[in-house]
Amino acid sequence: MADGGGIRVGPYAELTFDAEGDPDRAAQAEVARMEATDLLVFAHGWNSDRSAATRLYDRFFAPFPGLVGSGVRLGYVGVVWPSMRFADEPIPDFDHPGVRPERAAGPELDPGTRRALGVFWPSRGPELDRAAELLAAREESAAAFIEFGALVRELAGVDAVPTATAPPVPALFTEDVLEVCRELTSALARTGALPAGAVPAQGPAGPVPAGGAPRVLWNGAKELLRQAAYYQMKKRAGVVGERGLGPVLAELAERRPALRVHLIGHSFGARVVSFSLRAVPDGARYVKSLTLLQGAFSHYAFADRLPHDKGRGGALRGLQRRVDGPVVACHSPHDTSLKVFYPLASRMAGDSAALLGLDERWGAIGHDGVRAVPEARRLGLDAALRDGVPAAGCVSVDAGSVVRRGGPPAGAHSDICHAELARLVVSAGRMGR
């Protein structure tokens, strides 16, 4: 077994970053010493701790030694950054036999999620404790929901004084909390997390009876808390990529100019590796491929012009050109986290007329691939593996034939440990036999 805390391939090292993108310098030096021709750099999405990320890397990296050509010497890097997941989001095959994770049956917070939230928001213990109390009590009181909404806004950091450069706040955190919780509860029902008839119809007098609120809406309140964590993770992922991983890789490339780097990211980790492209110097050619697995960011991210605003481009406008190879975006229709819930955290204040559900404007790249990039190709997984992917530019690969397992509410979002996807990374990086 190779070094690296149980990773069965090697050489392996972990690049660890804090929330501001500052790296662990000892780990950075360890990566710089790797004897490799090609470096696989993988950033996880929402995981509660390092051990979950390490298990993911161990599973995903396992097929690679048998897939690459004889002239390729792989080095494996796992990016560890501060994120979390709720324990009610199962990861296929990750639970040890005979061991059931701690998960709450209702809207209350299970012990594992409460601990993870405490690590994610280390200075917010009292707010988290009160939010947990409200979820457990499930009072039929509009006042209780209003208090919960205020706590969530504080945790998400959207109650701070706005500035001219601050991004707009999603309407999810600014609209009437009872109506938001109703819509989120309805969305949970659409994913199968709740019975289809669980949400009472809205009456003529308003979303809830005067002075009261149905207990079932606390399921939506828990989802609102989850979205607050995702809102923070989304911002944090961009910071870690642009200010942390990107400069580390640029420095490494300057010291090791022959080293070929292949970036891989899952979920918000796809955002980490993509935003690292902002630190690639003009003309540099060390990033040889970028593979996005169920990426949790906009399908318009690489667009030069947004279809709904021709004067603006995507957040990663044109950065695919800093990859000396293809940008491969894997997507799956079985990922309900991106199909149903990603748009909730993405809609901006003022767009509340269509607050929920997937639409063309707010889709995720991991749901339907790259959009509004004219030269982008679209392939099925079988065709991509049989014929290969283009040598450069964006390509969307429908991976729904393998990325299909997982329970509600996230669906197949974390079902990414497949040999077919490892083969796709090898094909993108031109590392095959």
Side-chain angles (χ1 to χ4, degrees):
M1 183 171 290
D3 293 338
I7 299 292
R8 291 168 290 179
V9 296
Y12 173 80
E14 287 177 350
L15 280 175
T16 303
F17 298 91
D18 65 17
E20 303 303 319
D22 293 327
D24 180 309
R25 295 297 178 185
Q28 183 179 354
E30 186 177 355
V31 172
R33 290 192 297 268
M34 279 188 177
E35 294 185 4
T37 61
D38 293 74
L39 208 62
L40 299 176
V41 181
F42 192 171
H44 64 76
W46 46 76
N47 291 276
S48 57
D49 54 27
R50 176 181 172 179
S51 67
T54 301
R55 282 188 291 160
L56 170 65
Y57 299 148
D58 179 48
R59 287 280 309 281
F60 191 82
F61 285 147
F64 281 89
L67 298 175
V68 298
S70 58
V72 175
R73 286 178 292 131
L74 291 178
Y76 303 86
V77 176
V79 176
V80 179
W81 60 285
S83 67
M84 66 156 291
R85 72 179 178 92
F86 279 57
D88 62 358
E89 296 178 16
I91 299 178
D93 298 334
F94 264 40
D95 296 340
H96 294 293
V99 178
R100 298 183 63 85
E102 302 171 280
R103 291 176 186 149
E108 63 269 20
L109 293 181
D110 59 88
T113 296
R114 174 61 186 87
R115 288 193 296 271
L117 286 168
V119 173
F120 188 70
W121 281 307
S123 63
R124 295 295 192 177
E127 292 89 345
L128 288 168
D129 286 342
R130 180 56 181 156
E133 290 173 2
L134 289 167
L135 287 170
R138 287 182 277 178
E139 294 181 18
E140 294 184 336
S141 160
F145 279 91
I146 291 169
E147 181 185 359
F148 186 85
L151 289 168
V152 168
R153 286 195 300 274
E154 193 167 345
L155 289 167
V158 298
D159 277 344
V161 177
T163 66
T165 58
V169 176
L172 201 66
F173 305 122
T174 62
E175 298 299 311
D176 177 80
V177 66
L178 283 167
E179 184 57 23
V180 168
C181 288
R182 174 183 295 279
E183 298 292 350
L184 288 169
T185 304
S186 297
L188 286 167
R190 292 201 300 275
T191 70
L194 292 173
V199 187
Q202 181 170 337
V208 295
R215 287 165 62 87
V216 71
L217 298 189
W218 284 104
N219 292 279
K222 181 180 180 181
E223 185 60 37
L224 182 61
L225 177 61
R226 191 197 317 264
Q227 294 297 334
Y230 291 175
Y231 179 66
Q232 290 281 25
M233 273 190 276
K234 180 179 180 180
K235 294 190 294 183
R236 188 175 292 181
V239 169
V240 170
E242 182 174 1
R243 301 181 190 173
L245 180 61
V248 165
L249 293 177
E251 182 179 332
L252 176 63
E254 188 173 352
R255 297 174 59 182
R256 303 269 303 276
L259 189 64
R260 297 159 42 91
V261 175
H262 307 276
L263 299 174
I264 310 162
H266 169 236
S267 186
F268 281 133
R271 185 176 173 90
V272 171
V273 294
S274 296
F275 272 71
S276 77
L277 297 176
R278 288 183 170 178
V280 175
D282 290 339
R285 286 288 178 260
Y286 57 89
V287 178
K288 297 299 181 180
S289 66
L290 171 63
T291 304
L292 310 174
L293 305 172
Q294 301 311 115
F297 61 92
S298 172
H299 55 192
Y300 294 141
F302 293 103
D304 286 334
R305 292 181 179 85
L306 300 177
H308 53 277
D309 187 349
K310 299 295 186 181
R312 294 174 53 227
L316 301 169
R317 175 179 182 172
L319 289 188
Q320 68 269 27
R321 302 181 187 100
R322 297 190 182 181
V323 179
D324 188 28
V327 173
V328 180
C330 295
H331 56 96
S332 170
H334 308 295
D335 184 337
T336 51
S337 181
L338 297 183
K339 179 180 181 180
V340 177
F341 290 106
Y342 172 84
L344 311 188
S346 300
R347 295 184 187 276
M348 297 295 104
D351 287 336
S352 58
L355 180 62
L356 297 174
L358 179 68
D359 65 13
E360 185 66 18
R361 181 167 180 178
W362 300 117
I365 200 168
H367 172 67
D368 59 0
V370 177
R371 295 289 180 177
V373 177
E375 67 273 16
R377 296 275 305 279
R378 303 188 73 82
L379 299 172
L381 181 59
D382 289 345
L385 294 177
R386 182 185 65 245
D387 304 327
V389 297
C394 293
V395 56
S396 301
V397 175
D398 185 343
S401 60
V402 296
V403 180
R404 57 184 304 110
R405 296 181 304 146
H413 185 68
S414 295
D415 185 23
I416 60 168
C417 292
H418 297 282
E420 293 88 345
L421 299 183
R423 289 170 55 199
L424 193 64
V425 172
V426 170
S427 174
R430 303 300 192 262
M431 295 178 284
R433 296 178 183 277

